Amino acid sequence: MGDVCNILTGKLNSNAAENFGMYPFFTCSKDNFKINSYSFDCEAILLAGNNAVGDFGIKHYKGKFDVYQRTYVITIKNESEFDYDFLYHTLKTHLKDFQRYSYGTATQYLTKSILDPFEFKAPNIQIQQKIGHILGTLNKSIEKLHLQNILLEKMIHSIFKSWFVDFDGQTEFVDSELGQIPRGWILSKLDDILSLLRDGSHNPPQRVVKGISFITGGTLNFIIEYDKATYITDEDYYKIQKNYQLKENDIMLSIVGTLGNVAIVRTTDLPLSHQRSAAMLRVNEKANFVFLYCLIKSPGFQLFLDTHQTRTAQPSIFLGTLSSYEFVLPSTKILNNFFRLGSPIIKKMQDNCSSILILEKIRDSLLPKLMSGEIRV
C-alpha cells in the first residue's frame, strides 16, 4: 500500500473536538466529532490506528477536516490509476486482516510498518470506478436512511420536550416538588407506569453457533444490533425466561457498563433473551411505549443515570434506583395524542432500520465477489 498511497497521521489529541465545530474531526472512535480548525483539505480514507479489541473504524471523506494523532490519513498518489471508492471498499474487506496483524494487550495498535507493506489486488482504473460506483450507490442509500432516522429522532424528542418538559400550550400551573407543573398533571415515579422491570440473566449460559438471540446492553441502538449478539439453546432460553418473555414494544435499557443505550423490541426480534446489562421495561395502562421510550432517552433521565450510577470498575445502576426516577405524568388524553403523533415516527424509523439491514446484506455479499472478480462489471 505504501507504493500507491501516502499514509500520514494527525497531530491532535482526541479531546480537541469542539461542540458545534465547522469541520469534521476524525478520531479512532466510530462516532463523528467536530472542530473549528482544519489541517487537511483533500479526499482521503481515514483509518483508526488503535482500538481496544482491534475493531478498526474506516471512513471516506472529501473536504476540509482534522485528525487525531493515532488516526491514519490515506491519500492516493496517482488518482489516474486508483479510485478512492475502490480503495475504501478494498481496505474495508481487509479490516479483519488488520485486526490479526495488530499488536498490543489492553489496546490493539495498527502501525505504519503494518500498513506500508500491505498488499492488495486492483484491476484497471475503469473497473475500479465501476466497482466503486456500485458499492458507493448502496452506501449512499444506506447513509440517506441513517440521516432520515437522525432527523426523525430529533423530531420526536423535540415534540416530547415541547409538550412534557417546556409544557408548551399549558396555561394553568400548580406548585410541586419539581417546581411548577400543569394543573391536573401528576408527580410520578417511573415505577408508576411500569408493569414489569427486570434485568437479565446474572449467570449467562453457554453460547452456541445457532439458537435464540442473547443480547447485552452493548447491542442496544434504537433497534437490537444482532452482529453484536450471541446465541443460546432453546433449553437455556426457557430456563432464563421461565417467569416472563419479552414482547413487542418492550423497552430495553443498558444498565451496566455504558449506561443509557435504548432499543425497542420488534416482533421480528422474538423470541429473545437478555443478560443482566440489559434491563427490560414494560409500560402499563397509565402510559404508552412511545412516551416511555422518549422519557428514558430524555436528557433529564440520562443525567439521572449519570448521577445515580455506582461508580465502581464497571458503572451500573440498580433497578430500584431506576424505578424511583421522578417525572410529571400528563393526562391520558395528552398521552394518547402524543402516541398518535409519535408512533408513526417510530414505525418509520424501524422500517428504515430494516431497509438498512437489507441493503447492508446486499452490499456485504457483493463486496468480496466484486473484489475477487467473481462478479464482472
Side-chain angles (χ1 to χ4, degrees):
M1 187 159 66
D3 293 336
V4 298
C5 295
N6 298 305
I7 305 174
L8 306 172
T9 60
K11 297 181 179 179
L12 300 178
N13 292 326
S14 59
N15 60 4
E18 301 174 81
N19 292 331
F20 312 110
M22 294 178 61
Y23 309 106
F25 177 52
F26 297 105
T27 69
C28 292
S29 170
K30 293 185 179 181
D31 294 329
N32 296 317
F33 300 98
K34 293 288 187 177
I35 197 168
N36 280 315
S37 61
Y38 66 91
S39 300
F40 298 88
D41 184 4
C42 61
E43 186 168 9
I45 308 300
L46 294 310
L47 178 63
N50 63 34
N51 182 268
V53 294
D55 183 15
F56 302 110
I58 187 169
K59 297 175 183 178
H60 178 194
Y61 186 77
K62 183 177 182 179
K64 297 180 175 69
F65 62 92
D66 222 323
V67 181
Y68 165 55
Q69 60 188 351
R70 286 296 306 155
T71 298
Y72 290 103
V73 180
I74 302 172
T75 57
I76 294 172
K77 292 180 179 179
N78 187 347
E79 294 184 27
S80 65
E81 295 182 357
F82 283 90
D83 177 75
Y84 272 102
D85 280 333
F86 176 83
L87 178 62
Y88 167 75
H89 290 292
T90 297
L91 296 181
K92 193 170 183 179
T93 62
H94 288 290
L95 290 178
K96 290 293 184 183
D97 294 324
F98 293 149
Q99 184 180 46
R100 189 167 63 253
Y101 299 148
S102 64
Y103 68 91
T105 51
T107 300
Q108 297 297 113
Y109 292 95
L110 266 182
T111 62
K112 196 168 182 293
S113 61
I114 294 173
L115 297 177
D116 269 336
F118 185 77
E119 295 182 353
F120 60 91
K121 294 180 179 180
N124 63 54
I125 184 65
Q126 290 79 17
I127 300 297
Q128 289 181 45
Q129 289 170 342
K130 288 179 180 179
I131 292 173
H133 176 72
I134 292 170
L135 298 174
T137 299
L138 286 168
N139 278 336
K140 286 178 182 177
S141 297
I142 292 168
E143 184 60 32
K144 184 177 180 181
L145 291 170
H146 277 302
L147 180 59
Q148 190 175 94
N149 270 8
I150 290 171
L151 295 175
L152 290 170
E153 182 95 13
K154 287 181 178 179
M155 181 189 301
I156 195 169
H157 290 300
S158 177
I159 297 169
F160 180 89
K161 180 177 182 295
S162 172
W163 287 26
F164 305 118
V165 178
D166 299 335
F167 306 134
D168 290 343
Q170 302 301 313
T171 57
E172 295 185 55
F173 294 85
V174 296
D175 291 329
S176 78
E177 294 177 11
L178 296 181
Q180 287 204 321
I181 64 173
R183 183 179 296 278
W185 293 30
I186 304 170
L187 188 61
S188 304
K189 293 183 178 180
L190 186 62
D191 189 56
D192 295 331
I193 63 168
L194 298 180
S195 63
L196 201 59
L197 172 62
R198 296 287 184 90
D199 61 359
S201 171
H202 287 235
N203 297 295
Q206 183 176 354
R207 309 304 201 273
V208 294
V209 176
K210 287 186 178 181
I212 292 176
S213 296
F214 187 72
I215 64 170
T216 67
T219 66
L220 311 179
N221 186 18
F222 179 68
I223 61 168
I224 294 164
E225 296 181 332
Y226 285 101
D227 58 334
K228 300 176 183 176
T230 54
Y231 301 93
I232 60 175
T233 64
D234 288 17
E235 181 181 0
D236 283 330
Y237 166 77
Y238 287 112
K239 286 179 182 177
I240 295 169
Q241 308 295 156
K242 63 181 179 180
N243 294 321
Y244 69 96
Q245 284 78 45
L246 294 170
K247 296 181 179 180
E248 182 183 15
N249 297 330
D250 283 344
I251 305 295
M252 306 302 298
L253 172 69
S254 61
I255 59 170
V256 178
T258 300
L259 306 185
N261 293 339
V262 183
I264 302 172
V265 176
R266 300 174 294 173
T267 302
T268 52
D269 295 323
L270 303 171
L272 183 67
S273 188
H274 58 121
Q275 186 250 10
R276 67 176 293 263
S277 63
M280 179 273 277
L281 298 84
R282 182 173 296 163
V283 72
N284 62 25
E285 71 284 351
K286 294 181 181 179
N288 57 71
F289 81 93
V290 178
F291 177 82
L292 177 59
Y293 170 75
C294 291
L295 179 68
I296 65 177
K297 286 279 288 185
S298 68
F301 186 84
Q302 295 291 318
L303 178 62
F304 176 84
L305 292 179
D306 183 60
T307 55
H308 288 76
Q309 65 178 282
T310 58
R311 299 187 182 276
T312 56
Q314 194 171 31
S316 63
I317 190 163
F318 296 114
L319 296 185
T321 305
L322 272 183
S323 64
S324 69
Y325 175 71
E326 292 186 318
F327 66 99
V328 182
L329 184 67
S331 67
T332 301
K333 180 180 179 180
I334 292 175
L335 282 171
N336 289 341
N337 287 340
F338 182 70
F339 180 79
R340 282 192 290 269
L341 190 62
S343 56
I345 297 175
I346 295 292
K347 179 64 166 58
K348 178 60 177 173
M349 291 171 64
Q350 290 175 327
D351 290 344
N352 283 351
C353 288
S354 297
S355 297
I356 288 169
L357 291 174
I358 291 170
L359 289 172
E360 286 178 339
K361 285 182 179 179
I362 293 172
R363 180 199 62 195
D364 294 344
S365 63
L366 281 175
L367 188 55
K369 295 179 180 179
L370 287 168
M371 294 302 183
S372 66
E374 182 181 343
I375 295 179
R376 296 185 178 276
V377 293

